[in-house]
Amino acid sequence: MKLASLKGGRDGRLVVVSRDLSRYADASDIAPTLQAALDDWEANGHQLEELARKIEDGSVPTHPFDESECHSPLPRAYQWADGSAYVNHVELVRKARGAEMPETFWTDPLMYQGGSDSFLAPRDPIVMPTDEGWGIDMEGEVAVITGDVPMGVSAEDALSYIRLIMLVNDVSLRGLIPGELAKGFGFFQSKPSSAFSPCAVTPDELGDLWADGKIKAALRVDYNGEAFGRADAGTDMTFHFGQLIAHAAKSRPLGAGTIIGSGTVSNKLDGGPGKPVAEGGVGYSCIAEIRMIETIEKGEAKTSFMKFGDRVGIEMQDSGGQSIFGRIDQTVEKYTG
Amino acid sequence: MKLASLKGGRDGRLVVVSRDLSRYADASDIAPTLQAALDDWEANGHQLEELARKIEDGSVPTHPFDESECHSPLPRAYQWADGSAYVNHVELVRKARGAEMPETFWTDPLMYQGGSDSFLAPRDPIVMPTDEGWGIDMEGEVAVITGDVPMGVSAEDALSYIRLIMLVNDVSLRGLIPGELAKGFGFFQSKPSSAFSPCAVTPDELGDLWADGKIKAALRVDYNGEAFGRADAGTDMTFHFGQLIAHAAKSRPLGAGTIIGSGTVSNKLDGGPGKPVAEGGVGYSCIAEIRMIETIEKGEAKTSFMKFGDRVGIEMQDSGGQSIFGRIDQTVEKYTG
């Protein structure tokens, strides 16, 4: 089943979308919003599945689905916690600044608490007051939405609480990160509003692509119309989503509608840093990674962070080339107040 | 006006409470929940104020108000961001571990993003799987709830977006903090669910006690039945709430219902560390602070963190001795799954 929230009000209007993303049926008589559906998934999940079946067999009226009318599936959420499951990415960050990565990073997930009160829609611009010095960057990631998760859940049991899966652009302000992390309390201003894919889909919808708490498909990141990243989300993911959820729930329960992110998808190449797509590699899911590799290989970063007018697309296809979640497509624009 | 959320459902039921906290009237015909009221404060704020006036003049039926029936005013929220406005506290933390505090900490607020999906009720136990090693501690703080705040708001303008004020127990797991901060991404497991005071009140309700974005009254923290802290929340607060909100909104807007915390209330004594209440000082708003002072003065901490059965109370009184927000009163209990 594929769900989306059409723009309207603070929380959007819940709809069920056809597998091929061409049509939708209103689901607001089952639950007005996705959060409301998640709050009583036991009752609502089955009804939504039933509606999804009817959309596929043509037994309910549908409307043409337009991804640009979507808000993020949860336009605002009670929790957005982002892991760094692709430890390769973290290792490169450290290497670029000449620092050793602690060995425990391979066994104990890194995770930060993100702001969840003001997400961007998947086709909204990334609006910033300046594109100088702040280091505007995209981060292509996978994320899951959970039900109510009990405190102390095991990594294995945690997988059963995954209700939906989607993609994220975890917008990052690289220029603000060093100063902020030096203060010791983690990210805040350096992690502005994130955007999520138009659709959130149930794990069963992914078929064989979903296994062991990972999605085994390429995250297609395009930058200014060119292929920038094609890293496989199922490869080099050191911690699967069950492990990330268990980490988040160690000392408190997680409320229904909690979003847990994978961190920037990143693949090694022959045990080392990856190559650009144009050179036959799988590329990168953020600009920072290519800059780190440039720094390691050439002594300095050549690729600029995003400027006003730069555009990022993030998508994932099934084995038949069908977009699974719809497309995040965002342009950086100047904030005028 | 004083608002509370009686337990019931995930978001409670909105009520307006009398000034003396003795009676309440149901407000759910104005807005079913506090979040709903904040989502359209322009329309709902006036109606709630009108109901509050009727409660005071006896022209609406009321029911006896019982703080133990309350959830936190927002049982879950879209954002909980906690500052460290009492820089004295931060300076002591650093001093106790022999580290210098950067000068910029006096001009650039520390703030972390907290989990907001599963708050505790003000009279709920603090339930933890262990009281050994995790270093269970309270942190008595003041917090504000904002309306929609535009990105880039000035500190002065930010004050106009404060809708409500309340108290917090920002429960902290001191034993988990050093390892977590060493990873560089800030707090996560070391900040479990927080609890807020039974009532959230409008700034005008505080009269002269609210000025310049601060509350000028003592935060009364009791520990196992004895006075533990009486620090004045208006003293030694380096950053007022307008500055904290502006810091949070530098690179993104804040959604209505955002909670911004002050950090642990802490007063200096003659420019140095404070003394216990029993020795004539104003005491402390968390155990960590007395432990830091013990460490600085005696070479080691004597006071234990909270064990199962330990109890903390947090309250604030107006000049007439009336509890303003009601009382947070929590006991640490063992989590049994």
Side-chain angles (χ1 to χ4, degrees), chain B residues 280-315:
Chain B
V282 296
Y284 318 101
S285 305
C286 66
I287 295 173
E289 192 157 310
I290 190 169
R291 285 173 58 89
M292 292 183 287
I293 291 170
E294 289 166 349
T295 302
I296 293 166
E297 293 183 349
K298 298 167 194 165
E300 65 174 325
K302 302 281 186 190
T303 308
S304 300
F305 288 117
M306 298 176 86
K307 301 287 180 192
F308 297 136
D310 283 333
R311 183 174 179 186
V312 57
I314 300 174
E315 203 165 11

mmCIF file of all heavy atoms in Angstrom, chain B residues 280-315:
data_model
loop_
_atom_site.group_PDB
_atom_site.id
_atom_site.type_symbol
_atom_site.label_atom_id
_atom_site.label_comp_id
_atom_site.label_asym_id
_atom_site.label_seq_id
_atom_site.Cartn_x
_atom_site.Cartn_y
_atom_site.Cartn_z
ATOM 1 N N GLY B 280 21.566 27.952 53.948
ATOM 2 C CA GLY B 280 21.218 29.340 53.678
ATOM 3 C C GLY B 280 21.333 29.766 52.231
ATOM 4 O O GLY B 280 21.105 30.928 51.908
ATOM 5 N N GLY B 281 21.695 28.841 51.345
ATOM 6 C CA GLY B 281 21.790 29.162 49.923
ATOM 7 C C GLY B 281 20.460 28.945 49.218
ATOM 8 O O GLY B 281 19.443 28.642 49.860
ATOM 9 N N VAL B 282 20.460 29.077 47.897
ATOM 10 C CA VAL B 282 19.229 28.799 47.140
ATOM 11 C C VAL B 282 19.242 27.387 46.570
ATOM 12 O O VAL B 282 18.290 26.971 45.909
ATOM 13 C CB VAL B 282 18.998 29.820 45.993
ATOM 14 C CG1 VAL B 282 18.797 31.221 46.566
ATOM 15 C CG2 VAL B 282 20.133 29.801 44.979
ATOM 16 N N GLY B 283 20.301 26.648 46.835
ATOM 17 C CA GLY B 283 20.340 25.246 46.426
ATOM 18 C C GLY B 283 20.461 25.063 44.931
ATOM 19 O O GLY B 283 20.989 25.925 44.225
ATOM 20 N N TYR B 284 19.886 23.943 44.429
ATOM 21 C CA TYR B 284 20.146 23.491 43.068
ATOM 22 C C TYR B 284 18.857 22.979 42.432
ATOM 23 O O TYR B 284 17.919 22.600 43.127
ATOM 24 C CB TYR B 284 21.203 22.391 43.097
ATOM 25 C CG TYR B 284 22.324 22.732 44.059
ATOM 26 C CD1 TYR B 284 22.375 22.162 45.337
ATOM 27 C CD2 TYR B 284 23.286 23.679 43.712
ATOM 28 C CE1 TYR B 284 23.374 22.531 46.230
ATOM 29 C CE2 TYR B 284 24.283 24.055 44.597
ATOM 30 C CZ TYR B 284 24.325 23.471 45.863
ATOM 31 O OH TYR B 284 25.298 23.847 46.743
ATOM 32 N N SER B 285 18.850 22.911 41.113
ATOM 33 C CA SER B 285 17.674 22.398 40.399
ATOM 34 C C SER B 285 17.944 21.043 39.773
ATOM 35 O O SER B 285 17.129 20.521 39.016
ATOM 36 C CB SER B 285 17.238 23.401 39.321
ATOM 37 O OG SER B 285 17.011 24.666 39.892
ATOM 38 N N CYS B 286 19.128 20.487 40.061
ATOM 39 C CA CYS B 286 19.439 19.120 39.628
ATOM 40 C C CYS B 286 20.531 18.582 40.535
ATOM 41 O O CYS B 286 21.251 19.356 41.179
ATOM 42 C CB CYS B 286 19.892 19.091 38.166
ATOM 43 S SG CYS B 286 21.462 19.919 37.853
ATOM 44 N N ILE B 287 20.627 17.267 40.589
ATOM 45 C CA ILE B 287 21.628 16.645 41.460
ATOM 46 C C ILE B 287 23.030 16.856 40.903
ATOM 47 O O ILE B 287 23.994 17.018 41.648
ATOM 48 C CB ILE B 287 21.302 15.145 41.635
ATOM 49 C CG1 ILE B 287 19.972 15.001 42.391
ATOM 50 C CG2 ILE B 287 22.416 14.418 42.379
ATOM 51 C CD1 ILE B 287 19.457 13.565 42.474
ATOM 52 N N ALA B 288 23.142 16.873 39.581
ATOM 53 C CA ALA B 288 24.467 17.029 38.968
ATOM 54 C C ALA B 288 25.174 18.270 39.491
ATOM 55 O O ALA B 288 26.387 18.260 39.692
ATOM 56 C CB ALA B 288 24.344 17.098 37.449
ATOM 57 N N GLU B 289 24.396 19.347 39.750
ATOM 58 C CA GLU B 289 25.049 20.595 40.149
ATOM 59 C C GLU B 289 25.667 20.486 41.543
ATOM 60 O O GLU B 289 26.806 20.921 41.755
ATOM 61 C CB GLU B 289 24.065 21.766 40.074
ATOM 62 C CG GLU B 289 24.792 23.094 40.203
ATOM 63 C CD GLU B 289 24.016 24.255 39.607
ATOM 64 O OE1 GLU B 289 23.563 24.127 38.455
ATOM 65 O OE2 GLU B 289 23.859 25.276 40.286
ATOM 66 N N ILE B 290 24.947 19.879 42.483
ATOM 67 C CA ILE B 290 25.546 19.732 43.817
ATOM 68 C C ILE B 290 26.756 18.778 43.736
ATOM 69 O O ILE B 290 27.768 18.989 44.394
ATOM 70 C CB ILE B 290 24.519 19.277 44.889
ATOM 71 C CG1 ILE B 290 25.150 19.375 46.280
ATOM 72 C CG2 ILE B 290 23.999 17.875 44.646
ATOM 73 C CD1 ILE B 290 24.142 19.214 47.412
ATOM 74 N N ARG B 291 26.659 17.782 42.866
ATOM 75 C CA ARG B 291 27.800 16.860 42.699
ATOM 76 C C ARG B 291 29.020 17.586 42.103
ATOM 77 O O ARG B 291 30.157 17.303 42.482
ATOM 78 C CB ARG B 291 27.402 15.685 41.796
ATOM 79 C CG ARG B 291 26.492 14.663 42.501
ATOM 80 C CD ARG B 291 25.972 13.612 41.521
ATOM 81 N NE ARG B 291 27.054 12.904 40.856
ATOM 82 C CZ ARG B 291 27.629 11.797 41.314
ATOM 83 N NH1 ARG B 291 27.220 11.262 42.454
ATOM 84 N NH2 ARG B 291 28.595 11.206 40.631
ATOM 85 N N MET B 292 28.751 18.515 41.190
ATOM 86 C CA MET B 292 29.864 19.267 40.604
ATOM 87 C C MET B 292 30.540 20.125 41.658
ATOM 88 O O MET B 292 31.755 20.227 41.715
ATOM 89 C CB MET B 292 29.352 20.131 39.452
ATOM 90 C CG MET B 292 28.892 19.296 38.260
ATOM 91 S SD MET B 292 28.376 20.295 36.854
ATOM 92 C CE MET B 292 26.815 20.949 37.407
ATOM 93 N N ILE B 293 29.705 20.751 42.509
ATOM 94 C CA ILE B 293 30.268 21.619 43.555
ATOM 95 C C ILE B 293 31.036 20.772 44.566
ATOM 96 O O ILE B 293 32.129 21.148 45.001
ATOM 97 C CB ILE B 293 29.142 22.454 44.209
ATOM 98 C CG1 ILE B 293 28.644 23.477 43.173
ATOM 99 C CG2 ILE B 293 29.624 23.133 45.473
ATOM 100 C CD1 ILE B 293 27.386 24.203 43.562
ATOM 101 N N GLU B 294 30.497 19.607 44.903
ATOM 102 C CA GLU B 294 31.221 18.695 45.803
ATOM 103 C C GLU B 294 32.562 18.284 45.191
ATOM 104 O O GLU B 294 33.579 18.214 45.882
ATOM 105 C CB GLU B 294 30.369 17.442 46.075
ATOM 106 C CG GLU B 294 29.153 17.713 46.961
ATOM 107 C CD GLU B 294 28.130 16.571 46.968
ATOM 108 O OE1 GLU B 294 28.242 15.643 46.120
ATOM 109 O OE2 GLU B 294 27.216 16.613 47.799
ATOM 110 N N THR B 295 32.530 18.041 43.875
ATOM 111 C CA THR B 295 33.756 17.634 43.195
ATOM 112 C C THR B 295 34.793 18.758 43.219
ATOM 113 O O THR B 295 35.973 18.525 43.504
ATOM 114 C CB THR B 295 33.442 17.242 41.726
ATOM 115 O OG1 THR B 295 32.484 16.186 41.740
ATOM 116 C CG2 THR B 295 34.703 16.774 40.995
ATOM 117 N N ILE B 296 34.321 19.992 42.950
ATOM 118 C CA ILE B 296 35.235 21.140 42.939
ATOM 119 C C ILE B 296 35.784 21.387 44.346
ATOM 120 O O ILE B 296 36.974 21.615 44.534
ATOM 121 C CB ILE B 296 34.508 22.402 42.402
ATOM 122 C CG1 ILE B 296 34.164 22.214 40.919
ATOM 123 C CG2 ILE B 296 35.358 23.653 42.596
ATOM 124 C CD1 ILE B 296 33.166 23.233 40.374
ATOM 125 N N GLU B 297 34.897 21.284 45.356
ATOM 126 C CA GLU B 297 35.305 21.664 46.713
ATOM 127 C C GLU B 297 35.966 20.538 47.491
ATOM 128 O O GLU B 297 36.830 20.776 48.326
ATOM 129 C CB GLU B 297 34.093 22.188 47.493
ATOM 130 C CG GLU B 297 33.581 23.504 46.911
ATOM 131 C CD GLU B 297 32.436 24.101 47.698
ATOM 132 O OE1 GLU B 297 31.883 23.401 48.585
ATOM 133 O OE2 GLU B 297 32.084 25.266 47.413
ATOM 134 N N LYS B 298 35.511 19.295 47.251
ATOM 135 C CA LYS B 298 35.989 18.181 48.093
ATOM 136 C C LYS B 298 36.711 17.101 47.307
ATOM 137 O O LYS B 298 37.094 16.073 47.853
ATOM 138 C CB LYS B 298 34.808 17.563 48.846
ATOM 139 C CG LYS B 298 34.121 18.545 49.790
ATOM 140 C CD LYS B 298 32.771 18.003 50.288
ATOM 141 C CE LYS B 298 31.962 19.118 50.921
ATOM 142 N NZ LYS B 298 30.537 18.764 51.103
ATOM 143 N N GLY B 299 36.810 17.293 46.002
ATOM 144 C CA GLY B 299 37.544 16.318 45.197
ATOM 145 C C GLY B 299 36.699 15.167 44.695
ATOM 146 O O GLY B 299 37.098 14.449 43.788
ATOM 147 N N GLU B 300 35.522 14.961 45.304
ATOM 148 C CA GLU B 300 34.627 13.924 44.778
ATOM 149 C C GLU B 300 33.172 14.225 45.125
ATOM 150 O O GLU B 300 32.887 14.939 46.085
ATOM 151 C CB GLU B 300 35.027 12.537 45.297
ATOM 152 C CG GLU B 300 34.880 12.375 46.790
ATOM 153 C CD GLU B 300 35.151 10.941 47.258
ATOM 154 O OE1 GLU B 300 34.812 9.999 46.514
ATOM 155 O OE2 GLU B 300 35.675 10.782 48.366
ATOM 156 N N ALA B 301 32.270 13.647 44.320
ATOM 157 C CA ALA B 301 30.844 13.850 44.541
ATOM 158 C C ALA B 301 30.350 12.922 45.647
ATOM 159 O O ALA B 301 30.700 11.746 45.686
ATOM 160 C CB ALA B 301 30.082 13.589 43.251
ATOM 161 N N LYS B 302 29.545 13.481 46.573
ATOM 162 C CA LYS B 302 29.004 12.686 47.685
ATOM 163 C C LYS B 302 27.537 12.303 47.450
ATOM 164 O O LYS B 302 27.088 11.242 47.860
ATOM 165 C CB LYS B 302 29.057 13.502 48.998
ATOM 166 C CG LYS B 302 30.444 13.974 49.400
ATOM 167 C CD LYS B 302 31.250 12.868 50.041
ATOM 168 C CE LYS B 302 32.578 13.402 50.556
ATOM 169 N NZ LYS B 302 33.490 12.316 50.967
ATOM 170 N N THR B 303 26.789 13.227 46.878
ATOM 171 C CA THR B 303 25.351 13.016 46.705
ATOM 172 C C THR B 303 25.099 12.037 45.554
ATOM 173 O O THR B 303 25.662 12.185 44.475
ATOM 174 C CB THR B 303 24.651 14.363 46.413
ATOM 175 O OG1 THR B 303 25.024 15.299 47.424
ATOM 176 C CG2 THR B 303 23.144 14.207 46.372
ATOM 177 N N SER B 304 24.270 11.029 45.798
ATOM 178 C CA SER B 304 23.950 10.031 44.767
ATOM 179 C C SER B 304 22.934 10.571 43.779
ATOM 180 O O SER B 304 22.116 11.419 44.124
ATOM 181 C CB SER B 304 23.330 8.785 45.397
ATOM 182 O OG SER B 304 24.211 8.212 46.299
ATOM 183 N N PHE B 305 22.943 10.016 42.573
ATOM 184 C CA PHE B 305 21.846 10.264 41.655
ATOM 185 C C PHE B 305 20.611 9.527 42.171
ATOM 186 O O PHE B 305 20.663 8.848 43.189
ATOM 187 C CB PHE B 305 22.234 9.835 40.235
ATOM 188 C CG PHE B 305 23.233 10.772 39.602
ATOM 189 C CD1 PHE B 305 24.506 10.337 39.247
ATOM 190 C CD2 PHE B 305 22.901 12.101 39.381
ATOM 191 C CE1 PHE B 305 25.425 11.209 38.690
ATOM 192 C CE2 PHE B 305 23.815 12.977 38.811
ATOM 193 C CZ PHE B 305 25.083 12.533 38.463
ATOM 194 N N MET B 306 19.467 9.667 41.475
ATOM 195 C CA MET B 306 18.205 9.130 41.970
ATOM 196 C C MET B 306 18.170 7.592 41.890
ATOM 197 O O MET B 306 18.598 7.000 40.904
ATOM 198 C CB MET B 306 17.038 9.722 41.179
ATOM 199 C CG MET B 306 16.942 11.246 41.324
ATOM 200 S SD MET B 306 15.622 11.981 40.302
ATOM 201 C CE MET B 306 14.221 11.805 41.423
ATOM 202 N N LYS B 307 17.652 7.010 42.965
ATOM 203 C CA LYS B 307 17.444 5.558 43.031
ATOM 204 C C LYS B 307 15.941 5.284 42.999
ATOM 205 O O LYS B 307 15.138 6.191 43.236
ATOM 206 C CB LYS B 307 18.039 5.014 44.342
ATOM 207 C CG LYS B 307 19.532 5.287 44.522
ATOM 208 C CD LYS B 307 20.358 4.413 43.615
ATOM 209 C CE LYS B 307 21.840 4.675 43.794
ATOM 210 N NZ LYS B 307 22.632 4.040 42.728
ATOM 211 N N PHE B 308 15.579 4.027 42.776
ATOM 212 C CA PHE B 308 14.162 3.670 42.813
ATOM 213 C C PHE B 308 13.576 4.128 44.149
ATOM 214 O O PHE B 308 14.158 3.877 45.207
ATOM 215 C CB PHE B 308 13.965 2.162 42.626
ATOM 216 C CG PHE B 308 14.435 1.671 41.276
ATOM 217 C CD1 PHE B 308 15.176 0.502 41.162
ATOM 218 C CD2 PHE B 308 14.151 2.384 40.120
ATOM 219 C CE1 PHE B 308 15.612 0.040 39.916
ATOM 220 C CE2 PHE B 308 14.576 1.948 38.875
ATOM 221 C CZ PHE B 308 15.314 0.779 38.776
ATOM 222 N N GLY B 309 12.461 4.815 44.110
ATOM 223 C CA GLY B 309 11.807 5.313 45.323
ATOM 224 C C GLY B 309 12.091 6.776 45.604
ATOM 225 O O GLY B 309 11.351 7.409 46.370
ATOM 226 N N ASP B 310 13.141 7.338 45.003
ATOM 227 C CA ASP B 310 13.428 8.765 45.227
ATOM 228 C C ASP B 310 12.374 9.621 44.521
ATOM 229 O O ASP B 310 11.862 9.250 43.466
ATOM 230 C CB ASP B 310 14.835 9.121 44.735
ATOM 231 C CG ASP B 310 15.918 8.660 45.703
ATOM 232 O OD1 ASP B 310 15.634 8.557 46.919
ATOM 233 O OD2 ASP B 310 17.043 8.392 45.247
ATOM 234 N N ARG B 311 12.111 10.784 45.120
ATOM 235 C CA ARG B 311 10.979 11.605 44.678
ATOM 236 C C ARG B 311 11.378 13.072 44.502
ATOM 237 O O ARG B 311 12.042 13.635 45.356
ATOM 238 C CB ARG B 311 9.890 11.489 45.749
ATOM 239 C CG ARG B 311 8.622 12.225 45.432
ATOM 240 C CD ARG B 311 7.585 11.895 46.504
ATOM 241 N NE ARG B 311 6.351 12.614 46.253
ATOM 242 C CZ ARG B 311 5.304 12.614 47.077
ATOM 243 N NH1 ARG B 311 5.353 11.912 48.205
ATOM 244 N NH2 ARG B 311 4.219 13.292 46.783
ATOM 245 N N VAL B 312 10.947 13.641 43.389
ATOM 246 C CA VAL B 312 11.242 15.051 43.121
ATOM 247 C C VAL B 312 9.939 15.844 42.926
ATOM 248 O O VAL B 312 9.007 15.358 42.280
ATOM 249 C CB VAL B 312 12.167 15.203 41.889
ATOM 250 C CG1 VAL B 312 11.569 14.562 40.639
ATOM 251 C CG2 VAL B 312 12.496 16.669 41.612
ATOM 252 N N GLY B 313 9.899 17.041 43.510
ATOM 253 C CA GLY B 313 8.785 17.964 43.304
ATOM 254 C C GLY B 313 9.312 19.256 42.702
ATOM 255 O O GLY B 313 10.394 19.716 43.085
ATOM 256 N N ILE B 314 8.584 19.812 41.750
ATOM 257 C CA ILE B 314 8.998 21.075 41.107
ATOM 258 C C ILE B 314 7.772 21.979 41.006
ATOM 259 O O ILE B 314 6.731 21.565 40.484
ATOM 260 C CB ILE B 314 9.600 20.819 39.706
ATOM 261 C CG1 ILE B 314 10.824 19.907 39.807
ATOM 262 C CG2 ILE B 314 9.976 22.147 39.035
ATOM 263 C CD1 ILE B 314 11.413 19.486 38.455
ATOM 264 N N GLU B 315 7.899 23.193 41.501
ATOM 265 C CA GLU B 315 6.757 24.086 41.577
ATOM 266 C C GLU B 315 7.235 25.538 41.586
ATOM 267 O O GLU B 315 8.421 25.800 41.779
ATOM 268 C CB GLU B 315 6.000 23.785 42.892
ATOM 269 C CG GLU B 315 4.555 24.190 42.891
ATOM 270 C CD GLU B 315 3.770 23.548 44.046
ATOM 271 O OE1 GLU B 315 4.410 22.971 44.952
ATOM 272 O OE2 GLU B 315 2.526 23.632 44.032
#
